[in-house]
């Protein structure tokens, strides 16, 4: 069977069908039979099954192979969590069901909130945001509202140049001016640049948005000084907690001065992830910011039952329909309960161990911009290979032929030819060794001056070398016939 096959609509043969449905008695408002008028493909059941099975085989997935995409945390999602999310009582819930008939779901939300409070050391939690970036927006809206309540929303948000693009985008969406703080030669926040921004903008600063551990795979050593400095001028410390899986159970962000932090449930607590959703980005805040949490939220009544608080004068309001991504909450709580607090600590330890194992084994073959040890992801660059005409993009394409999904490339932007590798804690030593071997072979080929062959890769994939820019800017979305 050829790799590229016709769309189902082009396989359609008049009169062929896969499902024998009765002709509906009720016609639509035009009086016509809706099914025949909208031109659905007329195909048999085997055609449909084969079509989708074939497509699924063309798709690279975490269920099929190793996915070392730095900053994206593509780790295995335990099937137990999937099973629990499919329990009939949860799966068939209706969001408009009465409180009386939703007690189990409300209790689950309450329990997950409680776990997140304990793990973060922060007393306020909202589970509503539907992704990490949505959590950032929610957090920054709360910061703005808190400053407004004090009489001045302030003007500036500090963001390091190594930040994920969603950070400055969020601050700009909340009508702040972004002041970029440069990264020092050691990959950490340049404290001179930070202090100078504090001096220049002082009480105009609403917050600093810092990812910790950072996108350079490092834990910020000055985090406490940063927090104290911000608090001394009445600014908030927003921590992008997307990389919480590196420190969960080890560090409570509330203890190091964080005021607001989103965590991406899909990264740390292992829920499905991809294509911008269905993620979940709960936000944790200090006591001072609790009044601004979005509505609705769950409270426990004196009689032990649970209720939804839908109104509150100081809230930022609703940020999501109903109660957020409830299915993700079930999976995340199942993950937490099945690991236990000590197990979660081990998750962080194993994630960090695996990244350092890769860093240690590749440090002689690839340039390491910042000395290790690293946190849960390690950063390499193409510096050594570029001398032989082989770039990060070539390395990524060669990895495809070796059977691996490439790491994150050219991010963080502050590092030339960055390759950010996140193995996660769910991979075995054998898998890591296979990846290391593939990378070593690539480094050897580059040393031996095989640049032309690199430029012709990949050779074994469905599509060969794509024009990345054209594919992004001028995608072909309509199949030409
Ligand atoms: C550091 C960092 N912040 C924020 C985000 C945004 O999270 P989401 O993709 O869930 O919106 C990501 C996602 O990759 C990230 O790595």
């Amino acid at each position: 069977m050829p790799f590229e096959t016709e769309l189902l609509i082009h396989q359609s043969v008049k009169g062929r069908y896969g499902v024998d449905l009765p002709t509906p008695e009720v016609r639509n408002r035009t009086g016509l039979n809706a099914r025949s008028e909208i031109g659905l493909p007329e195909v048999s059941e085997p055609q449909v099954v084969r079509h989708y099975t074939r497509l699924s085989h063309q798709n690279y997935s975490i269920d099929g192979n190793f996915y070392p995409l730095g900053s994206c945390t593509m780790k295995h999602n335990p099937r137990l969590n999937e099973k629990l999310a499919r329990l009939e009582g949860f799966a068939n819930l209706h969001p408009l069901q009465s409180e009386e008939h939703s007690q189990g779901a409300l209790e689950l939300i309450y329990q997950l909130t409680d776990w997140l409070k304990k793990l973060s050391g922060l007393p306020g939690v909202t589970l509503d945001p539907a992704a990490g970036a949505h959590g950032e927006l929610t957090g920054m809206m709360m910061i703005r509202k808190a400053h407004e309540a004090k009489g001045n929303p302030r003007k500036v948000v500090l963001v390091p140049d190594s930040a994920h693009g969603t950070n400055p985008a969020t601050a700009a969406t909340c009508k702040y001016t972004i002041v970029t703080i440069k990264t020092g030669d050691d990959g950490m926040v340049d404290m001179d640049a930070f202090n100078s921004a504090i001096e220049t903008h002082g009480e105009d600063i609403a917050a600093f948005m810092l990812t910790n551990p950072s996108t350079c795979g490092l834990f910020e050593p000055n985090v406490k000084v940063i927090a104290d400095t911000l608090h001394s001028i009445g600014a908030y410390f927003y921590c992008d907690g997307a990389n919480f899986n590196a420190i969960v159970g080890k560090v409570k962000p509330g203890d190091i001065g964080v005021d607001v932090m989103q965590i991406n449930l899909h990264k740390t607590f292992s829920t499905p992830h991809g294509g911008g959703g269905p993620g979940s980005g709960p936000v944790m805040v200090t006591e001072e910011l609790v009044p601004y949490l979005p509505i609705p939220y769950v409270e426990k009544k004196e009689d032990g039952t649970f209720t939804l608080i839908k109104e509150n004068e100081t809230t930022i309001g609703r940020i999501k329909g109903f109660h957020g991504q409830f299915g993700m909450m079930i999976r995340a709580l199942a993950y937490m309960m099945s690991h236990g607090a000590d197990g979660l600590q081990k998750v962080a330890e194993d994630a960090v161990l695996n990244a350092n194992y890769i860093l240690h084994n590749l440090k002689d073959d690839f340039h390491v911009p910042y000395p290790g040890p690293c946190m849960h992801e390690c950063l390499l660059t193409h510096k050594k290979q570029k001398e032989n005409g082989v770039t990060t993009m070539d390395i990524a394409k060669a990895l495809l032929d070796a059977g691996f999904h490439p790491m994150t490339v050219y991010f963080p932007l502050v590092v030339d030819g960055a390759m950010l590798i996140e193995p996660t804690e769910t991979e075995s030593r054998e898998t890591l060794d296979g990846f290391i071997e593939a990378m070593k072979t690539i480094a050897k080929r580059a040393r031996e001056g095989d640049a032309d062959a690199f430029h012709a890769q990949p050779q074994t994939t469905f599509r060969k070398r794509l024009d990345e820019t054209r594919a992004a800017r001028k995608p072909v979305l309509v199949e030409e016939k």
Side-chain angles (χ1 to χ4, degrees), residues 59-213:
N59 197 15
Y60 194 99
S61 69
I62 185 66
D63 290 344
N65 219 329
F66 181 43
Y67 215 133
L69 210 50
S71 203
C72 288
T73 319
M74 300 301 286
K75 66 189 188 187
H76 173 71
N77 296 316
R79 291 304 182 260
L80 171 68
N81 307 345
E82 298 300 316
K83 192 172 170 189
L84 295 177
R86 280 175 182 71
L87 286 176
E88 215 181 320
F90 288 139
N92 292 338
L93 265 176
H94 191 280
L96 292 176
Q97 211 161 293
S98 71
E99 257 178 31
E100 189 193 346
H101 292 116
S102 313
Q103 284 295 306
L106 296 181
E107 182 169 5
L108 185 141
I109 292 175
Y110 189 84
Q111 277 193 29
L112 179 59
T113 303
D114 210 43
W115 270 84
L116 290 175
K117 283 181 189 172
K118 291 199 175 100
L119 290 169
S120 66
L122 291 162
V125 178
T126 172
L127 299 181
D128 293 4
H134 197 200
E136 288 171 37
L137 182 68
T138 307
M140 288 307 293
M141 283 168 71
M142 293 169 72
I143 284 179
R144 191 173 176 94
K145 188 114 191 189
H147 281 306
E148 276 169 2
K150 291 179 194 162
N152 176 9
R154 301 195 173 198
K155 298 191 183 75
V156 168
V157 169
L158 310 180
V159 183
D161 54 5
S162 62
H164 196 264
T166 49
N167 290 180
T170 295
T173 305
C174 292
K175 300 198 182 81
Y176 286 112
T177 301
I178 289 93
V179 170
T180 307
I181 307 296
K182 77 175 169 103
T183 300
D185 293 340
D186 55 0
M188 314 297 182
V189 172
D190 183 314
M191 288 307 283
D192 287 341
F194 173 74
N195 289 326
S196 141
I198 297 282
E199 220 161 90
T200 310
H201 301 284
E203 296 193 358
D204 270 346
I205 300 173
F208 182 30
M209 294 185 87
L210 176 72
T211 303
N212 191 33

Side-chain angles (χ1 to χ4, degrees), residues 70-73 130-136 162-167 211 213-215 240-243 262 264 266-267 273 276-277 279-281 377 411:
S71 203
C72 288
T73 319
H134 197 200
E136 288 171 37
S162 62
H164 196 264
T166 49
N167 290 180
T211 303
S214 72
T215 57
D240 180 331
N243 297 333
Q262 107 278 357
N264 301 15
H266 44 292
K267 296 187 180 191
H273 175 189
S280 181
E377 51 195 356
F411 179 80

Side-chain angles (χ1 to χ4, degrees), residues 113-437:
T113 303
D114 210 43
W115 270 84
L116 290 175
K117 283 181 189 172
K118 291 199 175 100
L119 290 169
S120 66
L122 291 162
V125 178
T126 172
L127 299 181
D128 293 4
H134 197 200
E136 288 171 37
L137 182 68
T138 307
M140 288 307 293
M141 283 168 71
M142 293 169 72
I143 284 179
R144 191 173 176 94
K145 188 114 191 189
H147 281 306
E148 276 169 2
K150 291 179 194 162
N152 176 9
R154 301 195 173 198
K155 298 191 183 75
V156 168
V157 169
L158 310 180
V159 183
D161 54 5
S162 62
H164 196 264
T166 49
N167 290 180
T170 295
T173 305
C174 292
K175 300 198 182 81
Y176 286 112
T177 301
I178 289 93
V179 170
T180 307
I181 307 296
K182 77 175 169 103
T183 300
D185 293 340
D186 55 0
M188 314 297 182
V189 172
D190 183 314
M191 288 307 283
D192 287 341
F194 173 74
N195 289 326
S196 141
I198 297 282
E199 220 161 90
T200 310
H201 301 284
E203 296 193 358
D204 270 346
I205 300 173
F208 182 30
M209 294 185 87
L210 176 72
T211 303
N212 191 33
S214 72
T215 57
C216 296
L218 304 169
F219 190 90
E220 177 57 54
N222 292 312
V223 69
K224 198 82 184 72
V225 179
I226 289 172
D228 291 345
T229 309
L230 291 167
H231 294 155
S232 73
I233 55 159
Y236 292 106
F237 178 11
Y238 184 99
C239 181
D240 180 331
N243 297 333
F244 193 51
N245 62 323
I247 56 170
V248 59
K250 308 289 275 184
V251 178
K252 288 186 180 181
D255 292 351
I256 49 175
V258 169
D259 297 298
V260 189
M261 182 178 91
Q262 107 278 357
I263 51 156
N264 301 15
L265 283 190
H266 44 292
K267 296 187 180 191
T268 304
F269 301 110
S270 178
T271 62
H273 175 189
S280 181
V283 180
M284 277 80 65
V285 297
T286 54
E287 199 70 60
E288 184 183 324
L289 291 162
V290 165
Y292 310 106
L293 284 167
I295 45 167
Y297 50 87
V298 176
E299 268 185 8
K300 191 171 183 177
K301 295 198 285 197
E302 274 183 9
D303 65 2
T305 60
F306 298 89
T307 186
L308 269 177
I309 308 296
K310 294 183 186 141
E311 279 174 36
N312 163 356
E313 279 187 5
T314 51
T315 174
I316 58 164
R318 261 182 192 272
I319 50 107
K320 179 87 176 77
F322 304 108
H323 321 301
Q325 311 275 45
F326 182 65
M328 296 303 136
M329 297 174 204
I330 302 166
R331 290 170 172 91
L333 186 62
Y335 184 82
M336 291 170 181
M337 293 178 90
S338 57
H339 279 78
D342 51 340
L344 289 178
Q345 220 175 69
K346 188 92 171 67
V347 162
E349 284 166 8
D350 288 350
V352 173
L353 177 68
N354 278 1
N356 279 288
Y357 184 71
I358 290 185
L359 180 65
H360 177 77
N361 280 288
L362 293 181
K363 70 179 183 335
D364 296 333
D365 295 274
F366 293 88
H367 169 242
V368 178
Y370 308 123
C374 62
M375 296 301 288
H376 63 303
E377 51 195 356
C378 66
L379 191 53
L380 308 174
T381 87
H382 63 189
K383 195 171 175 190
K384 289 186 182 175
Q385 290 70 36
K386 213 175 168 192
E387 289 163 10
N388 293 315
V390 175
T391 64
T392 286
M393 188 56 78
D394 295 324
I395 296 167
K397 300 295 182 191
L399 266 176
L400 291 174
D401 277 345
F404 291 103
H405 193 287
M407 67 294 273
T408 291
V409 291
Y410 300 105
F411 179 80
L413 304 177
V414 289
V415 175
D416 179 49
M419 293 183 274
L420 188 60
I421 303 170
E422 181 171 3
T424 83
E425 71 282 359
T426 55
E427 295 301 336
S428 69
R429 180 157 174 190
E430 293 74 25
T431 302
L432 301 187
D433 284 341
F435 176 76
I436 289 164
E437 203 43 53

